[in-house]
Amino acid sequence: MYNLLAYIKHHRGQNEAALECLRQAEAVIQREHADQAEIRSVVTWGNYAWVYYHMGRLSEAQVYVDKVKHVCEKFSSPYRIESPEIDCEEGWAQLKCGRKNNERAKVCFEKCLEKNPKNPEFTSGLAISSYRLDKWPPPQNPIDILQQAIQLNPDNPDNQYVKVLLALKLQKMNEEGEGQRLVEEAVEKAPQATEVLRAAAMLYRRQNDLDKAIDLFKKALECMPNNAYLHCQIGACYRAKVHEYQNVGENAMYGIREELQELIGQAINYLKRADELNGNLTHICSYLACLYAQLGQYEEAEHYFQKEFSKELSPVNKQVLHLRYGNFQLYQMKCDNKAIHHFMEGMKINQESKETEKMKTKLQRIAKTRLSKNRADPEALHLLAFLEELNGKRQPAEEISERGLDSGHLVPSASLTEE
């Protein structure tokens, strides 16, 4: 991790900070792998040489080149070495660099295990990379390797993350009892490990235990206060709590008005902070727009909708945005024409999604309402022709009736809850 951070610092021109990261990397190696310090330090020493070279400090660069050469000659040949420990370092670095690198990470750990099949660290690395490949790119089943990694080193604090990953897989297989036990054990043994806390929080969020999820995400946030992902997840949990009020009757709403406003405020605060830290996170601005719409703050809602439209979005995310903004125009702004435009634009993107069906139903309802008032309404007839051309003559299923905000009333917004 420190080697990767040093690389980032170097490319930002922060070479002194990069050297400090490399010193921290050395300290970790001495603390955790004292018996393999030489072989484990080859990557770090190579990075020292690189940074010093680019700083123009050639004599210091040469010192580390010589260190690398000495180790390579000792274990293999000058400047080249085959070592499972180095492959392991590469595997962890690949895992830190995003999901597109998961396959390469898996290959690294498999190569390590060819030399040392019972090594707990190598097995854990393979388990984590296999778990991530279960989603991207090919489907695989990592259950066996996750269980093997735990059995090889069940009490190692660094291995508690693997327990939570196994728990998440078991949850998907409806074995929540065993998954719950693993999560509780992992959090107890590694209460400060942010990866454990984050993964455990996701398990509780999937169980709809939002308070427990928020608590764990906040504990992780104490260690990483500027982590956009954590702010986003906490905001999303508060947003989900707001959704729980969706079916509350209008009379009951008066009794929980302050509580609902507090939840919306919490969701907005965390999501805004996430957006400040990383403006490229998907959906955050449309989440904020829908929350502001629910509070009746339509100018703020419009601002965040337009901010989301200004981003480079995938077709799927663009379709979701057209649905949400169309709902906002239909239910809050009472502007049928803008709603129609965005529902039509959204339907053109993807005809095989749940969003398409929702927008299709809304357009048909708008047409039906207009035709009930004027059988020759040109806009309504155009809508029906559009639907028939795009999707055939199949009638859409009826939706549950929706309503937006009436002036002065805090009522859940259709644009907030539809995904």
Side-chain angles (χ1 to χ4, degrees), residues 49-185:
W50 179 263
V51 174
Y52 278 129
Y53 173 80
H54 283 277
M55 294 175 73
R57 294 161 63 172
L58 302 185
S59 61
E60 290 163 292
Q62 187 62 49
V63 168
Y64 285 98
V65 170
D66 292 341
K67 281 176 174 280
V68 172
K69 181 179 179 181
H70 172 73
V71 175
C72 290
E73 288 177 334
K74 182 177 178 180
F75 290 94
S76 183
S77 61
Y79 306 116
R80 181 173 180 82
I81 188 169
E82 290 289 336
S83 164
E85 288 78 16
I86 293 177
D87 289 327
C88 179
E89 287 289 322
E90 181 185 349
W92 290 121
Q94 295 285 357
L95 281 177
K96 293 291 184 182
C97 291
R99 64 183 187 179
K100 291 183 179 180
N101 300 77
N102 290 335
E103 182 64 45
R104 177 58 189 162
K106 181 171 178 283
V107 170
C108 290
F109 291 118
E110 287 175 335
K111 188 177 178 182
C112 295
L113 287 166
E114 289 175 3
K115 301 285 183 64
N116 190 347
K118 296 297 183 181
N119 184 286
E121 182 182 3
F122 302 163
T123 307
S124 295
L126 180 61
I128 294 169
S129 55
S130 297
Y131 173 87
R132 294 182 181 179
L133 280 171
D134 190 37
K135 300 178 182 178
W136 177 276
Q140 299 181 16
N141 186 356
I143 290 287
D144 292 342
I145 191 66
L146 287 167
Q147 291 175 331
Q148 182 184 353
I150 293 169
Q151 290 166 2
L152 285 172
N153 205 355
D155 297 321
N156 187 333
D158 293 334
N159 212 27
Q160 302 312 307
Y161 178 54
V162 178
K163 289 184 181 179
V164 184
L165 296 185
L166 178 58
L168 289 168
K169 293 300 301 180
L170 293 173
Q171 185 184 51
K172 288 185 177 181
M173 298 169 63
N174 297 318
E175 297 182 26
E176 292 192 2
E178 176 63 10
Q180 186 81 22
R181 183 191 68 77
L182 287 168
V183 165
E184 291 174 357
E185 184 178 295

Side-chain angles (χ1 to χ4, degrees), residues 57 111 193 256 333 366 388 392 394 417:
R57 294 161 63 172
K111 188 177 178 182
I256 58 174
M333 304 308 293
I366 292 171
E388 184 173 344
R394 181 173 63 84
T417 58

Side-chain angles (χ1 to χ4, degrees), residues 131 135 168 171-172 201-208:
Y131 173 87
K135 300 178 182 178
L168 289 168
Q171 185 184 51
K172 288 185 177 181
M202 288 304 301
L203 180 136
Y204 286 110
R205 185 180 174 188
R206 290 178 185 176
Q207 290 178 351
N208 205 36

Side-chain angles (χ1 to χ4, degrees), residues 262-279:
E262 172 66 20
L263 290 174
I264 294 174
Q266 291 277 26
I268 286 174
N269 289 339
Y270 280 101
L271 290 171
K272 282 183 72 174
R273 181 59 179 151
D275 185 52
E276 290 169 1
L277 291 166
N278 184 350

Side-chain angles (χ1 to χ4, degrees), residues 134-349:
D134 190 37
K135 300 178 182 178
W136 177 276
Q140 299 181 16
N141 186 356
I143 290 287
D144 292 342
I145 191 66
L146 287 167
Q147 291 175 331
Q148 182 184 353
I150 293 169
Q151 290 166 2
L152 285 172
N153 205 355
D155 297 321
N156 187 333
D158 293 334
N159 212 27
Q160 302 312 307
Y161 178 54
V162 178
K163 289 184 181 179
V164 184
L165 296 185
L166 178 58
L168 289 168
K169 293 300 301 180
L170 293 173
Q171 185 184 51
K172 288 185 177 181
M173 298 169 63
N174 297 318
E175 297 182 26
E176 292 192 2
E178 176 63 10
Q180 186 81 22
R181 183 191 68 77
L182 287 168
V183 165
E184 291 174 357
E185 184 178 295
V187 172
E188 180 182 354
K189 291 185 176 180
Q192 302 299 318
T194 56
E195 287 188 333
V196 171
L197 294 171
R198 286 167 53 172
M202 288 304 301
L203 180 136
Y204 286 110
R205 185 180 174 188
R206 290 178 185 176
Q207 290 178 351
N208 205 36
D209 189 344
L210 297 171
D211 290 329
K212 183 65 174 177
I214 289 170
D215 180 60
L216 290 170
F217 278 130
K218 285 184 176 180
K219 286 181 179 178
L221 192 63
E222 291 175 5
C223 302
M224 307 173 69
N226 293 319
N227 186 286
Y229 170 85
L230 291 173
H231 284 280
C232 178
Q233 289 296 330
I234 296 170
C237 286
Y238 279 115
R239 176 176 174 266
K241 287 174 72 70
V242 172
H243 286 187
E244 293 177 348
Y245 290 90
Q246 172 71 6
N247 297 318
V248 174
E250 190 168 345
N251 291 333
M253 187 65 69
Y254 287 105
I256 58 174
R257 181 185 180 89
E258 290 186 6
E259 182 180 350
L260 180 56
Q261 285 182 321
E262 172 66 20
L263 290 174
I264 294 174
Q266 291 277 26
I268 286 174
N269 289 339
Y270 280 101
L271 290 171
K272 282 183 72 174
R273 181 59 179 151
D275 185 52
E276 290 169 1
L277 291 166
N278 184 350
N280 295 318
L281 291 174
T282 305
H283 297 312
I284 283 185
C285 288
S286 63
Y287 287 170
L288 284 166
C290 294
L291 289 163
Y292 276 117
Q294 190 164 8
L295 290 175
Q297 297 181 27
Y298 298 151
E299 289 186 7
E300 286 292 318
E302 180 70 25
H303 165 75
Y304 280 104
F305 272 125
Q306 294 308 317
K307 187 173 181 180
E308 188 81 357
F309 273 114
S310 71
K311 298 179 181 180
E312 290 290 332
L313 301 174
S314 69
V316 171
N317 291 334
K318 189 176 293 185
Q319 186 181 49
V320 171
L321 181 56
H322 279 297
L323 172 60
R324 289 176 179 164
Y325 189 61
N327 282 338
F328 172 65
Q329 291 295 335
L330 182 64
Y331 296 108
Q332 277 74 55
M333 304 308 293
K334 311 299 183 185
C335 183
D336 284 9
N337 290 336
K338 286 187 177 180
I340 289 168
H341 170 76
H342 284 279
F343 292 149
M344 291 176 69
E345 290 301 306
M347 284 192 67
K348 293 174 185 177
I349 294 172

